Amino acid sequence: LLRSLSSSQRDRLCVVLVRARNPNNIGAVARAMHGFGFTDLRLVNEYSVPLERARSAVDASDILAAAKEFASVDDAVADCHLVVGTTAVGERKREHPLHTLAQGGEMLCAALAQRRPSMRVALLFGSEKTGLSNEELSHCQWLLTIPMHTTEGIRHASMNLGQAAAVCLYELIREREASALNETQPSATAADLERLTTLFSEVLAGIGYAKRRPAGAEPGEVRRMVRRLQLSQSDARRLIGILRQILWKIGAST
Amino acid sequence: LLRSLSSSQRDRLCVVLVRARNPNNIGAVARAMHGFGFTDLRLVNEYSVPLERARSAVDASDILAAAKEFASVDDAVADCHLVVGTTAVGERKREHPLHTLAQGGEMLCAALAQRRPSMRVALLFGSEKTGLSNEELSHCQWLLTIPMHTTEGIRHASMNLGQAAAVCLYELIREREASALNETQPSATAADLERLTTLFSEVLAGIGYAKRRPAGAEPGEVRRMVRRLQLSQSDARRLIGILRQILWKIGAST
């Protein structure tokens, strides 16, 4: 299993938007890149209007400011050692190896993690209406697809460009091993749980529950239930205090 | 060895947007749900304007047409057995278990895969500006976070709502190993947990605990503790019965 990508490894990924027209989408792609720690955005367009509009939008970031424009896919990926296209399956005749995002993401990460500082990887996204053309796809070594749902064999409508980019970039930074994010709360000791079990049984007896429902108040059953709660130390202590006070209240009143 | 969620399992996930204002974002969430095969969209809002606007937009789908509106989080998740919130880390004091999307996704899938047709799972997204409030978070058993990049300890700006939802839903449909999908006890509904919370608060007041330790008896704190217990349906029902009998005993004796 791979570890997560370092900053310098992330810097080696170029996100290439081909014929993206909607400035909001370009801005959304830049935001996702920023959020996941990627920096190199490239646009292939006949016009530079969409990028200018995106730059003037509220969320204009360093990434948009530094984005480069190219006249062709060829130029945009010239310095890249691996070029990968994104596609919706089944739209046209496939002439490339196709990988799901989970598989392809692993391959992209492996390429980015190579010990070779000059190694660059391009990830291409086509226009939302038409995707990448055959000519554009011909620059790619292989293709990546986000697995979409199908109903009766018909693939569902695709997401917008900002969403597709976010999902792909997420896959690249997704942890490949489960790493604990929680300083998990220290759990209750067996001694605390046993004290809790005893107090709980006394309450069940005190309120008459044990008489009405003997099965539910049976010692083994109470003990198992207390363990099922997976209590933290502090919650266990708090419940002990509460049960004591219930007993005191019941006792004081009988 | 890979297994994905069936259609009927996906139907058990409710995506709940709390105070979403931007119709484009609501539309984007619906598109991502459609793309990944989810169907149940719920909105919690004072106004129904955003949903109406989203419905009249170009991409209005069956999902938007069927989306339901609720006045409160409580109402929106009443039929759900597991309620999970999404959050950016470090925004406020954490009082819930927090899982990365990869870990939490596994947990969500396990819940959806339970052999119990009525099992429902809610995934909450807050407003883009403020996220979920503490009150809204208090309805959640645990929280999910999309791991974002940090620079010098500062977390990068988050993505928009449509992107966040797409990334989370992708994680749920991403192929995973079958070993993760373990059968567990059916868990309690949000409605049962809320009833338990109310009864518990009444007991704390009745025994004088609320007066002695106001912090521990504060409604949000009681609600969070009840959710931390991760109760099964049957244990929750049993505790409700026990708390009722404690109240009866206390009431009968005062």
Side-chain angles (χ1 to χ4, degrees):
Chain A
L1 289 177
L2 295 162
R3 289 184 314 163
S4 66
L5 298 171
S6 69
S7 276
S8 64
Q9 287 167 344
R10 292 182 208 212
D11 286 344
R12 294 183 204 159
L13 183 84
C14 321
V15 173
V16 183
L17 305 184
V18 183
R19 289 177 291 113
R21 293 275 163 86
N22 185 334
N24 289 333
N25 285 338
I26 299 173
V29 171
R31 250 192 330 271
M33 290 177 65
H34 184 65
F36 291 132
F38 297 94
T39 53
D40 193 342
L41 176 61
R42 304 178 179 192
L43 288 99
V44 177
N45 256 323
E46 300 109 271
Y47 327 98
S48 59
V49 180
L51 179 56
E52 280 160 24
R53 287 229 182 100
R55 278 182 180 146
S56 66
V58 190
D59 280 297
S61 67
D62 293 350
I63 291 170
L64 283 176
K68 288 173 222 93
E69 288 180 283
F70 297 87
S72 68
V73 170
D74 200 14
D75 291 345
V77 302
D79 62 338
C80 296
H81 301 74
L82 172 63
V83 180
V84 176
T86 54
T87 185
V89 195
E91 279 184 11
R92 49 178 72 81
K93 211 173 64 174
R94 272 207 278 129
E95 293 173 338
H96 287 82
L98 178 72
H99 301 283
T100 65
L101 181 52
Q103 301 161 341
E106 201 110 345
M107 294 162 71
L108 284 171
C109 283
L112 292 168
Q114 280 186 20
R115 269 196 214 143
R116 191 178 170 206
S118 67
M119 173 85 189
R120 295 208 152 263
V121 175
L123 184 59
L124 270 62
F125 293 89
S127 86
E128 293 189 58
K129 286 209 173 158
T130 61
L132 292 164
S133 72
N134 279 333
E135 197 281 326
E136 291 153 2
L137 285 171
S138 71
H139 296 272
C140 301
Q141 269 102 322
W142 48 268
L143 307 182
L144 195 66
T145 191
I146 300 174
M148 303 296 272
H149 200 61
T150 55
T151 306
E152 291 166 10
I154 296 157
R155 194 179 149 90
H156 283 192
S158 54
M159 299 172 294
N160 70 42
L161 183 56
Q163 290 176 301
V167 168
C168 290
L169 296 178
Y170 164 71
E171 178 65 46
L172 298 186
I173 62 92
R174 185 183 185 276
E175 73 261 34
R176 271 148 178 83
E177 310 169 60
S179 60
L181 182 61
N182 291 311
E183 332 89 33
T184 39
Q185 280 279 21
S187 37
T189 62
D192 278 340
L193 293 182
E194 194 54 25
R195 207 173 316 157
L196 196 52
T197 304
T198 306
L199 288 167
F200 205 72
S201 296
E202 291 176 24
V203 167
L204 292 182
I207 63 173
Y209 189 88
K211 206 176 277 176
R212 275 182 54 215
R213 308 210 168 200
E218 189 266 312
E221 180 52 35
V222 173
R223 183 174 288 119
R224 281 188 295 273
M225 194 182 80
V226 167
R227 269 84 186 158
R228 278 199 294 273
L229 304 180
Q230 303 186 342
L231 290 166
S232 67
Q233 180 84 290
S234 60
D235 280 348
R237 295 271 162 89
R238 181 185 298 177
L239 284 177
I240 286 171
I242 291 169
L243 289 175
R244 281 211 179 110
Q245 198 153 344
I246 291 173
L247 283 174
W248 171 84
K249 178 82 181 173
I250 292 171
S253 62
T254 51
Chain B
L1 286 169
L2 300 171
R3 181 171 143 191
S4 61
L5 296 171
S6 70
S7 276
S8 64
Q9 287 167 346
R10 293 181 207 213
D11 286 346
R12 293 182 206 160
L13 183 84
C14 320
V15 174
V16 183
L17 305 184
V18 183
R19 289 178 288 114
R21 292 275 164 87
N22 185 334
N24 289 333
N25 286 338
I26 299 173
V29 171
R31 243 183 346 263
M33 290 176 66
H34 185 65
F36 291 132
F38 296 93
T39 53
D40 191 341
L41 176 61
R42 303 178 180 193
L43 287 99
V44 177
N45 255 323
E46 300 107 274
Y47 328 98
S48 60
V49 180
L51 178 57
E52 280 159 23
R53 287 231 181 98
R55 276 181 180 149
S56 66
V58 190
D59 280 296
S61 66
D62 293 350
I63 290 170
L64 283 177
K68 286 172 223 92
E69 287 180 282
F70 297 87
S72 69
V73 170
D74 198 16
D75 291 344
V77 303
D79 61 338
C80 296
H81 301 73
L82 173 63
V83 181
V84 175
T86 55
T87 185
V89 196
E91 279 183 11
R92 47 179 74 81
K93 213 174 64 174
R94 271 207 277 129
E95 294 172 333
H96 287 82
L98 178 71
H99 301 283
T100 64
L101 181 51
Q103 301 163 340
E106 202 113 342
M107 294 162 70
L108 284 171
C109 282
L112 292 169
Q114 283 188 15
R115 266 192 218 145
R116 190 177 171 210
S118 68
M119 172 85 189
R120 296 211 153 262
V121 175
L123 184 59
L124 269 64
F125 294 88
S127 85
E128 292 189 59
K129 287 210 174 157
T130 60
L132 293 165
S133 72
N134 278 333
E135 198 281 330
E136 289 154 4
L137 286 172
S138 73
H139 294 272
C140 301
Q141 269 100 326
W142 48 268
L143 306 182
L144 196 66
T145 190
I146 300 173
M148 304 296 273
H149 199 61
T150 55
T151 306
E152 290 165 11
I154 295 158
R155 195 180 148 90
H156 284 192
S158 54
M159 299 172 295
N160 70 43
L161 182 57
Q163 290 175 302
V167 168
C168 290
L169 296 178
Y170 164 70
E171 177 66 45
L172 297 187
I173 62 90
R174 185 181 187 277
E175 62 264 59
R176 62 189 66 248
E177 291 175 39
S179 61
L181 305 174
N182 288 320
E183 284 283 326
T184 47
Q185 275 281 7
S187 34
T189 63
D192 277 340
L193 293 182
E194 192 59 23
R195 208 172 316 156
L196 196 52
T197 304
T198 306
L199 288 167
F200 205 74
S201 296
E202 291 175 24
V203 167
L204 292 181
I207 62 173
Y209 189 88
K211 208 177 274 176
R212 276 182 54 214
R213 310 211 167 196
E218 189 266 312
E221 179 53 35
V222 173
R223 185 178 286 121
R224 282 188 294 273
M225 195 182 79
V226 167
R227 267 88 186 153
R228 278 199 294 273
L229 303 179
Q230 304 188 341
L231 291 166
S232 68
Q233 180 85 288
S234 59
D235 280 349
R237 295 271 161 89
R238 181 185 300 176
L239 284 176
I240 286 171
I242 292 169
L243 289 175
R244 281 211 179 109
Q245 198 153 344
I246 291 174
L247 282 174
W248 172 84
K249 178 81 181 171
I250 293 171
S253 62
T254 50

